[in-house]
Amino acid sequence: ARKIATAPVFMSSMVQCAIIAAAFDENDRILILTANDRTLEPQKDVLLNHCGVRVSDNRFLIRGCEHLPGFDAVAKGQAVPINIVQPAIVEMTMDILKREKRIAAILLECTELPPYADALRAATELPVFDAITCCDFYVSGYKDNPRFGINDWQAEWDHQQDTYKFGGNLIEADKRALQQKDLTPDQLKAAQV
């Protein structure tokens, strides 16, 4: 995706690992919470190496949430009951912090986990990073900084969503390879169901 994209592409919130690791003492650890540690663990070295982190670095502690009450909904493709999962994820994290005294930050690797970031920040008083903080980081690189420099150079959003055309963002070679061409928004919705 990075080879053809015109905007920054990140495939995992773990791209933040290098920045997080650089911000803390080399003896501090970073807790990575994921949907299932058994599926992430075999990929850890490849992901961290791809993100510019020394894979021999034992600073990253991976823990899965698959055993938490209600979190099995992720594997089943169902709605996750936030009111059940949130207290469980906070309790699990607090238990980990009691055992692992050097944890200085938390990274939520799974895209199902950002709804719990604020609860974890409040309970642990640690910085919590996730896909949302990663997006915010990249988006802020394109935005006007109102505190200094040239201000008001960007037009305000007109609150009108651009018309979406399936495959419109692809390069010509990829457009020719599309299996479904020129779907209407209704057809696209039906195809996703």
Side-chain angles (χ1 to χ4, degrees):
R2 289 184 186 106
K3 292 178 183 175
I4 61 171
T6 58
V9 174
F10 63 92
M11 303 303 285
S12 169
S13 61
M14 287 179 67
V15 298
Q16 299 171 98
C17 285
I19 296 169
I20 298 167
F24 295 98
D25 184 84
E26 64 185 24
N27 295 313
D28 288 336
R29 299 189 78 193
I30 293 97
L31 174 62
I32 299 176
L33 297 180
T34 185
N36 188 318
D37 55 0
R38 290 185 306 273
T39 58
L40 181 63
E41 192 65 43
Q43 303 173 50
K44 178 186 83 168
D45 289 349
V46 172
L47 282 168
L48 289 174
N49 191 29
H50 187 69
C51 296
V53 176
R54 290 188 326 258
V55 294
S56 60
D57 201 333
N58 198 24
R59 297 178 66 190
F60 301 97
L61 176 64
I62 297 175
R63 291 294 180 262
C65 298
E66 68 275 7
H67 62 279
L68 296 177
F71 206 76
D72 59 333
V74 172
K76 295 176 184 175
Q78 300 171 344
V80 178
I82 292 175
N83 59 327
I84 295 172
V85 175
Q86 183 167 294
I89 198 167
V90 168
E91 181 181 354
M92 177 189 77
T93 302
M94 297 307 287
D95 287 344
I96 293 168
L97 294 177
K98 286 177 191 168
R99 293 189 308 276
E100 300 286 340
K101 303 292 185 197
R102 294 294 311 209
I103 292 176
I106 300 170
L107 174 70
L108 306 179
E109 182 275 334
C110 173
T111 56
E112 290 286 344
L113 295 175
Y116 314 107
D118 279 347
L120 289 169
R121 288 180 187 109
T124 66
E125 298 183 353
L126 293 175
V128 178
F129 302 90
D130 57 23
I132 306 300
T133 62
C134 194
C135 289
D136 287 346
F137 173 77
Y138 283 106
V139 168
S140 69
Y142 287 95
K143 292 180 70 177
D144 175 30
N145 184 335
R147 292 183 290 270
F148 51 83
I150 302 171
N151 287 317
D152 301 322
W153 59 271
Q154 285 183 317
E156 287 291 321
W157 183 48
D158 62 6
H159 299 279
Q160 298 296 314
Q161 186 169 342
D162 293 341
T163 303
Y164 175 76
K165 183 174 184 204
F166 182 72
N169 58 329
L170 299 175
I171 61 173
E172 289 304 316
D174 290 340
K175 285 181 184 179
R176 289 190 294 276
L178 282 177
Q179 298 296 315
Q180 298 176 345
K181 300 179 183 199
D182 296 327
L183 293 178
T184 66
D186 291 335
Q187 290 171 322
L188 183 58
K189 283 182 187 175
Q192 292 174 343
V193 174

